[in-house]
């Protein structure tokens, strides 16, 4: 049997064996004691309690705080209560229930009190203690949990956003931000909160949880607060710090990963593509480009994004990763964004720059290998074969000629490839290798896959066949035979059929005196040339069909024949 149970039994036996008139001291029956009692009532403490008062003899009620609709408030041990109650309330715990039996000489004695308590009455009080405090009390707080790292804690003049559950010392809830599904947002240390909270919320980290106990004179005092907080109530606030910033804060940037050999950084006017994860300070996510599987694309420093991000996107390298913390006055301010971003929220962005360019950028060409001998370089109308890898600037491979059985083939100037690649393939020697950076306005523009992407081509020229001017099928590389018809008429019979014409043209190409249009079937090209000269379409060319007017003489050098 524990001490409390034993004491209760002794007191009950004493009450049963003695008549009330013989009681010499207060009898205390602690019939409901809480398991946890962090504080007991001491002399000079203030208490708030409910009670029912009855007479010992007949059990008739003479007073009740419940009937009056408000708890009784008094100070213990200084004569403000009857002596029996001053003694009987000592050592009591909040939420404890006691039955206190008070003999007349420790109550109202032989006089009584008016018509309520007769002389020589033994009184019985059933008491429920609701609150206890002392004028020497200070704000108390206990940290329940705290994040592993805390680079910043709350200070006076900061603006904070926090969640809380507010209870009285007895455990009765009087308010909760969770019930409203909205944080409480305010300045700290400037009198916008009750004094106890202004003190108790100082030094907290984002993500920290605290229990803050506030005595009444640092809370709502004698007046209470509405119907929820009674007068002289101690408050227990369980707070979770969600957000903190100061109106003087600027954007905070931390470089998480910087690529080596960064030769160019973003400036105002550049167009950037980047991925991001957006969270609040407590780590709660609100948006992510990764979830949409699409980069965020915008101009830098031109007001297309929130001011804080406009600042943070300057001075970046392609491939760089940064964490950016943006205070609300540089983000979405007090208004927030609908249900997505609450008012006065600090935003944290983890960004990864994929690429950037300027609308004025040219194609950038870097020669990585050049053969010692380079007598012929690629140019307009040339037929070329080349190998390539096409990647994004973050290294993501998009296309490669190695995916096919043979290198790619194109004729320069024929608009068969994007303009930037056309530029990158010009002036190359066979065996030369290049890296070519192509901004989107030289590539696929906004409609590419992905849109507005800067492309990196790794090129190697495998084969080169010099071409002929656009619109031509054959050009002379030296002097034109004079007379031309006699050269064409290989057997001297004054007429040239298709076979003889084909033999002549092939001989000129073989001896390096002329060049056919590359990349086209030779027989088809020669047949087309023959048809152009066979003006009467009789299947043979005669000398008159090669005669041209004097004013066309200059054209001959550039024409088929």
């Amino acid at each position: 049997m524990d001490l409390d149970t034993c004491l209760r039994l002794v007191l009950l036996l004493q009450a049963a064996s003695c008549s009330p008139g013989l009681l010499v001291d207060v009898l205390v029956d602690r019939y409901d004691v809480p398991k946890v009692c962090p504080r007991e009532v001491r002399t000079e403490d203030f208490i708030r309690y409910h009670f029912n008062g009855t007479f010992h003899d007949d059990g008739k009620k003479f007073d009740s705080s419940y009937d009056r609709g408000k708890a009784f408030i008094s100070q213990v041990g200084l004569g403000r209560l009857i002596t029996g109650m001053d003694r009987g309330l000592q050592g009591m715990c909040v939420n404890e229930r006691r039955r206190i039996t008070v003999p007349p000489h420790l109550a109202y004695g032989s006089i009584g009190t008016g018509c309520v308590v007769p002389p020589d009455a033994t009184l019985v009080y059933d008491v429920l203690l609701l609150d206890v405090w002392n004028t020497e009390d200070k704000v108390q707080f206990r940290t329940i949990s705290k994040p592993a790292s805390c680079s910043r804690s709350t200070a006076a003049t900061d603006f904070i956003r926090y969640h809380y559950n507010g209870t009285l010392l007895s455990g009765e809830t009087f308010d909760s931000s969770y019930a409203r599904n909205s944080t409480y947002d305010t300045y700290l240390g400037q009198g916008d909160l009750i004094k106890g909270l202004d003190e108790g919320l100082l030094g907290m980290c984002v993500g920290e949880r605290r229990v803050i106990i506030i005595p009444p004179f640092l809370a709502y005092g004698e007046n209470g607060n509405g119907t929820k907080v009674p007068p002289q109530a101690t408050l227990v606030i369980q707070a979770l710090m969600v957000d903190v910033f100061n109106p003087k804060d600027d954007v905070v940037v931390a470089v998480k990963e910087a690529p080596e050999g960064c030769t160019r950084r973003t400036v105002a006017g550049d167009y950037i593509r980047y991925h991001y994860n957006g969270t609040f300070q407590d780590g709660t996510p609100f948006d992510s480009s990764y979830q949409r599987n699409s980069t965020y694309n915008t101009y830098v420093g031109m007001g297309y994004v929130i001011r804080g991000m406009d600042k943070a996107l300057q001075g970046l390298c392609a491939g760089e990763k940064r964490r950016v913390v943006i205070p609300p006055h540089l983000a979405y301010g007090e208004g927030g964004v609908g249900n997505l971003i609450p008012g006065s929220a600090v935003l944290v962005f983890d960004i990864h720059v994929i690429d950037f360019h300027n609308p004025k950028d040219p194609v950038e060409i870097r020669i990585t290998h050049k053969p010692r001998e380079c007598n012929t370089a690629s140019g307009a109308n040339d037929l070329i074969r080349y190998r390539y890898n096409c990647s994004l600037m973050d290294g993501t491979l998009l296309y490669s000629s190695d995916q096919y059985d043979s290198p790619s083939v194109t004729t320069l100037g024929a608009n068969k490839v994007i303009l930037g690649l056309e530029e990158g393939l010009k002036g190359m020697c066979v065996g030369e290798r290049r890296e070519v950076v192509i901004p989107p306005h030289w590539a696929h523009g906004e409609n590419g896959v992905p849109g507005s992407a800067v492309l990196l081509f790794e090129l190697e020229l495998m084969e080169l066949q010099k071409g002929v001017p656009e619109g031509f099928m054959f050009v002379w590389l030296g002097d034109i035979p004079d007379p031309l018809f006699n050269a064409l008429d290989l057997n001297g019979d004054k007429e040239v059929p298709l076979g003889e014409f084909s033999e002549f043209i092939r001989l000129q190409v073989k001896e390096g005196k002329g060049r056919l249009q590359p990349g086209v079937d030779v027989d088809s090209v020669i047949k087309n040339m023959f048809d152009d000269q066979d003006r009467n379409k009789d299947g043979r060319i005669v000398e008159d069909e090669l005669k041209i007017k004097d004013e066309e003489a200059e054209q001959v050098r550039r024409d088929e024949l």
Side-chain angles (χ1 to χ4, degrees), residues 305-332:
V305 291
I306 55 177
R307 285 191 296 158
M309 186 60 79
D310 242 355
K311 294 180 67 175
L313 290 176
Q314 299 189 45
L316 285 158
C317 299
E320 184 171 341
K321 294 182 179 180
R322 283 186 177 184
R323 169 161 287 185
V324 179
V325 181
I326 303 176
H329 50 276
L330 296 175
Y332 296 102

Side-chain angles (χ1 to χ4, degrees), residues 174-411:
F174 66 84
D175 197 9
S176 173
S177 64
Y178 295 98
R180 295 190 298 273
N181 195 30
S182 175
T183 56
Y184 193 88
D185 308 340
T186 186
Y187 284 96
L188 185 60
Q190 295 191 352
D192 296 319
L193 295 166
I194 57 175
K195 290 182 179 180
L197 264 181
D198 252 349
E199 182 180 338
L201 292 170
L202 287 172
M204 287 188 75
C205 304
V206 171
E208 181 176 344
R209 294 179 183 271
R210 276 186 184 179
V211 173
I212 304 169
I213 302 175
I214 305 172
F217 52 88
L218 295 175
Y220 295 105
E222 296 179 358
N223 297 321
N225 186 30
T227 60
K228 295 291 187 179
V229 180
Q232 300 291 34
T234 300
L235 306 184
V236 181
I237 307 293
Q238 189 174 94
L240 167 63
M241 190 57 60
V242 173
D243 212 341
V244 57
F245 74 93
N246 194 283
K248 297 179 181 179
D249 285 350
D250 200 351
V251 175
V252 177
V253 174
V255 177
K256 298 172 65 178
E257 188 176 315
E260 296 181 359
C262 176
T263 58
R264 176 177 175 179
R265 295 179 179 272
T266 54
V267 296
D270 284 345
Y271 190 86
I272 189 171
R273 297 192 315 120
Y274 63 97
H275 270 302
Y276 70 88
N277 284 319
T279 67
F280 301 120
Q281 276 192 307
D282 64 354
T284 302
F286 64 83
D287 195 12
S288 173
S289 64
Y290 294 97
Q291 290 182 348
R292 295 190 297 273
N293 196 30
S294 175
T295 57
Y296 192 88
N297 309 334
T298 188
Y299 284 97
V300 176
M302 298 178 67
Y304 289 99
V305 291
I306 55 177
R307 285 191 296 158
M309 186 60 79
D310 242 355
K311 294 180 67 175
L313 290 176
Q314 299 189 45
L316 285 158
C317 299
E320 184 171 341
K321 294 182 179 180
R322 283 186 177 184
R323 169 161 287 185
V324 179
V325 181
I326 303 176
H329 50 276
L330 296 175
Y332 296 102
E334 296 179 1
V337 179
N339 295 324
L340 181 64
I341 297 175
S344 300
V346 177
L347 307 183
V348 181
F349 290 92
D350 286 298
I351 64 175
H352 178 201
V353 180
I354 303 302
D355 62 38
F356 64 90
H357 71 278
N358 194 281
K360 298 178 181 179
D361 282 349
V363 175
E364 180 184 347
I365 298 173
R366 298 190 293 266
I367 298 174
T368 58
H369 172 74
K370 194 162 189 174
R372 292 182 179 180
E373 294 186 6
C374 181
N375 299 320
T376 304
S378 57
N381 305 305
D382 290 350
L383 181 73
I384 61 172
R385 293 181 182 272
Y386 63 99
R387 293 180 62 245
Y388 71 89
N389 288 319
C390 175
S391 306
L392 300 177
M393 296 304 289
D394 65 352
T396 302
L397 182 65
L398 297 179
Y399 319 105
S400 175
S401 60
D402 294 339
Q403 297 170 336
Y404 306 100
D405 295 335
S406 61
S408 288
V409 178
T410 192
T411 301

Side-chain angles (χ1 to χ4, degrees), residues 315-534:
L316 285 158
C317 299
E320 184 171 341
K321 294 182 179 180
R322 283 186 177 184
R323 169 161 287 185
V324 179
V325 181
I326 303 176
H329 50 276
L330 296 175
Y332 296 102
E334 296 179 1
V337 179
N339 295 324
L340 181 64
I341 297 175
S344 300
V346 177
L347 307 183
V348 181
F349 290 92
D350 286 298
I351 64 175
H352 178 201
V353 180
I354 303 302
D355 62 38
F356 64 90
H357 71 278
N358 194 281
K360 298 178 181 179
D361 282 349
V363 175
E364 180 184 347
I365 298 173
R366 298 190 293 266
I367 298 174
T368 58
H369 172 74
K370 194 162 189 174
R372 292 182 179 180
E373 294 186 6
C374 181
N375 299 320
T376 304
S378 57
N381 305 305
D382 290 350
L383 181 73
I384 61 172
R385 293 181 182 272
Y386 63 99
R387 293 180 62 245
Y388 71 89
N389 288 319
C390 175
S391 306
L392 300 177
M393 296 304 289
D394 65 352
T396 302
L397 182 65
L398 297 179
Y399 319 105
S400 175
S401 60
D402 294 339
Q403 297 170 336
Y404 306 100
D405 295 335
S406 61
S408 288
V409 178
T410 192
T411 301
L412 294 179
N415 296 322
K416 300 296 185 181
V417 295
I418 57 175
L419 291 175
L421 181 56
E422 186 91 42
E423 286 292 309
L425 288 168
K426 289 179 181 178
M428 289 188 76
C429 304
V430 173
E432 183 177 338
R433 292 192 290 271
R434 290 179 174 181
E435 289 181 349
V436 180
V437 179
I438 305 176
H441 48 277
W442 285 85
H444 300 290
E446 297 180 1
N447 299 319
V449 182
S452 300
V454 178
L455 303 181
L456 172 63
F457 276 88
E458 297 172 294
L459 302 174
E460 181 180 5
L461 188 61
M462 310 298 294
E463 184 180 336
L464 168 63
Q465 296 181 43
K466 297 302 291 183
V468 299
E470 185 176 358
F472 293 84
M473 292 177 280
F474 174 88
V475 292
W476 291 99
L477 300 179
D479 293 333
I480 301 175
D482 188 19
L484 177 58
F485 183 80
N486 290 344
L488 273 171
D489 186 15
L490 298 178
N491 60 10
D493 64 355
K494 302 301 180 181
E495 59 183 24
V496 180
L498 175 60
E500 192 173 5
F501 182 85
S502 176
E503 183 180 354
F504 173 79
I505 295 299
R506 291 174 184 273
L507 180 63
Q508 306 312 303
V509 172
K510 182 178 180 181
E511 294 178 352
K513 297 177 181 179
R515 181 187 302 143
L516 281 169
Q517 179 183 2
V520 182
D521 179 68
V522 173
D523 289 336
S524 297
V525 173
I526 294 176
K527 178 66 166 58
N528 288 337
M529 291 172 62
F530 179 83
D531 290 342
D532 285 345
Q533 300 299 325
D534 182 15

Side-chain angles (χ1 to χ4, degrees), residues 1-15 27-33 97 99:
M1 183 180 300
D2 59 36
L3 181 61
D4 281 345
T5 305
C6 184
L7 176 61
R8 179 179 172 187
L9 180 59
V10 169
L11 293 173
L12 288 174
L13 289 172
Q14 183 178 353
L27 295 180
V28 177
D29 178 12
R30 304 180 69 185
Y31 63 87
D32 189 357
V33 181
R97 295 178 182 270
R99 183 172 295 108

Side-chain angles (χ1 to χ4, degrees), residues 25-28 41-43 47 49-54 62-63 65 72 74-92 98-108 123-129:
D25 204 351
V26 175
L27 295 180
V28 177
V41 175
R42 297 286 184 263
T43 298
I47 61 173
Y49 62 96
H50 268 304
F51 73 90
N52 280 319
T54 60
F62 64 86
D63 195 7
S65 63
F72 191 79
S74 186
Q75 195 172 13
V76 177
L78 297 182
R80 297 181 181 179
L81 297 167
I82 59 174
T83 304
M85 286 297 283
D86 259 348
R87 294 182 185 179
L89 292 168
Q90 294 281 341
M92 199 169 182
R98 284 186 178 186
R99 183 172 295 108
I100 303 171
T101 304
V102 183
H105 65 281
L106 297 178
Y108 297 100
L123 307 180
V124 179
Y125 290 89
D126 269 302
V127 178
L128 169 62
L129 187 63

